[in-house]
């Protein structure tokens, strides 16, 4: 029953219980699932934000994502991409997406030059943290030492976040549950929608999952989806840590 309802559970069930080879090109989400969460964001107010930052190689997209948990268990999502301006036209042709149009609409920043300007990324993150109540920022450890040091020096609580199964499986499954339950509001962000649509799931022998691209050389980028998983991971971890104390049974 779970496998019929959940794409990730289907992958696990077919792989581990039916011994079937699951096509690596199988999409993570079924058609329409993400779009059903496209409602406008609720007023943020003084709600606490949890963020994820997925750094690219020098010429790919870098993604910054924030989530705001609400009292009813739902989340509002903000996502922003960065790509070198000199690569924007070539990347648009390769990826078949309108980076310059998305930049005009405020979903993408075109950084100066032909490599990602991490100073622009840092400035964007700091401006966001100044405007909002950010509890912490999860960051991919890969190639992030310098930027992490800079953000920490500015008072940002940076949490290194592994990209293996141990770190990614639980928040990926939680994110899927939220999507299927229509517990997200992403405001119809087209850049985020495109990258989420590119996600496939990689499954290990224990049934743990993590997001991946169809092929390692694919231009179907998933950086904002990975950053979203990290942000959900931070938020859910704090929710567990701050839960009510267990009741003691007096004998």
């Amino acid at each position: 029953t779970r496998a019929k309802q959940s794409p990730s559970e289907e992958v696990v069930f077919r792989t581990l219980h039916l011994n079937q080879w699951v096509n690596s090109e199988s999409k993570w989400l079924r058609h329409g699932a993400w779009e059903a969460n496209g409602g406008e964001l609720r007023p943020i107010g003084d709600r606490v934000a949890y963020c994820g930052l997925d750094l690219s190689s020098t010429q790919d997209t870098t993604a910054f994502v924030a989530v705001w948990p609400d009292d009813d268990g739902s989340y509002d999502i903000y996502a922003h991409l960065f790509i070198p301006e000199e690569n924007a036209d070539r990347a648009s042709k390769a990826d078949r997406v309108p980076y310059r149009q998305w930049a005009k609409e405020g979903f993408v920043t075109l950084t100066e030059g032909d490599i990602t300007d991490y100073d622009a990324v840092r400035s964007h993150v700091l401006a966001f943290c100044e405007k909002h109540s950010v509890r912490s920022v999860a960051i991919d450890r890969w190639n992030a030492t310098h930027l992490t040091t800079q953000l920490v020096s500015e008072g940002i609580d940076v949490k290194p976040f592994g990209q293996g199964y141990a770190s990614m499986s639980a928040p990926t499954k939680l994110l899927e549950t939220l999507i299927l339950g229509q517990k997200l509001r992403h405001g119809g962000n087209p850049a985020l929608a495109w990258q989420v649509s590119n996600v496939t799931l990689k499954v290990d022998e224990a049934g743990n999952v993590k997001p991946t691209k169809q092929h390692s050389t694919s231009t179907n980028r998933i950086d904002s989806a990975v950053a979203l998983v990290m942000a959900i991971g931070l938020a859910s971890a704090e929710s567990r840590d701050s839960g009510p104390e267990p009741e003691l049974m007096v004998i």
Side-chain angles (χ1 to χ4, degrees):
T1 299
R2 292 199 307 270
K4 288 180 179 179
Q5 296 173 344
S6 164
S8 66
E9 290 287 351
E10 178 184 345
V11 171
V12 171
F13 182 78
R14 291 174 62 188
T15 302
L16 301 185
H17 296 280
L18 302 183
N19 197 30
Q20 293 179 349
W21 174 258
V22 178
N23 187 344
S24 63
E25 295 184 358
S26 297
K27 294 293 186 180
W28 174 35
L29 299 175
R30 296 190 174 100
H31 181 71
W34 180 256
E35 290 74 11
N37 292 268
E40 293 299 317
L41 274 62
R42 292 175 179 174
I44 300 305
D46 59 356
R47 282 190 289 157
V48 172
Y50 301 84
C51 304
L53 181 60
D54 187 60
L55 297 178
S56 66
S57 61
T58 55
Q59 297 184 341
D60 292 332
T61 58
T62 284
F64 175 70
V65 172
V67 300
W68 290 269
D70 213 342
D71 292 337
D72 61 358
S74 64
Y75 290 77
D76 293 284
I77 302 172
Y78 165 85
H80 197 81
L81 292 180
F82 304 82
I83 190 168
E85 183 171 13
E86 291 185 15
N87 297 341
D89 294 330
R90 182 171 65 253
S92 290
K93 291 179 180 179
D95 299 351
R96 299 180 181 179
V97 293
Y99 285 116
R100 289 193 181 276
Q101 180 61 37
W102 288 347
K104 292 179 181 179
E105 296 170 351
F107 301 111
V108 173
T109 291
L110 303 178
T111 66
E112 185 177 354
D114 62 352
I115 61 174
T116 302
D117 182 354
Y118 289 153
D119 287 340
V121 175
R122 183 188 72 247
S123 295
H124 185 94
V125 173
L126 291 175
F128 183 92
C129 292
E130 184 175 347
K131 182 178 180 181
H132 299 286
S133 178
V134 172
R135 182 63 51 83
S136 52
V137 178
I139 191 167
D140 179 2
R141 296 186 180 97
W142 183 83
N143 201 29
T145 302
H146 184 59
L147 182 56
T148 296
T149 301
Q150 292 178 321
L151 292 175
V152 169
S153 70
E154 295 286 348
I156 307 301
D157 183 16
V158 178
K159 305 286 191 185
F161 204 99
Q163 302 299 291
Y165 291 108
S167 299
M168 298 295 284
S169 184
T172 300
K173 291 181 177 181
L174 173 58
L175 176 57
E176 181 184 287
T177 299
L178 293 169
I179 294 170
L180 297 179
Q182 297 184 21
K183 289 287 190 177
L184 303 178
R185 290 171 296 276
H186 54 69
N189 183 321
L192 176 61
W194 172 65
Q195 294 205 341
V196 168
S197 75
N198 292 331
V199 173
T200 62
L201 290 184
K202 190 172 182 180
V203 185
D204 71 2
E205 295 178 353
N208 297 306
V209 301
K210 65 177 182 178
T212 187
K213 297 192 295 184
Q214 291 183 13
H215 307 288
S216 61
T217 58
S218 173
T219 60
N220 290 337
R221 309 181 199 283
I222 64 169
D223 307 281
S224 57
V226 171
L228 175 57
V229 170
M230 292 194 289
I232 290 289
L234 284 187
S236 61
E238 175 148 320
S239 176
R240 292 192 302 270
D241 293 342
S242 61
E245 292 290 333
E247 296 182 5
L248 298 179
M249 181 178 294
V250 179
I251 301 176

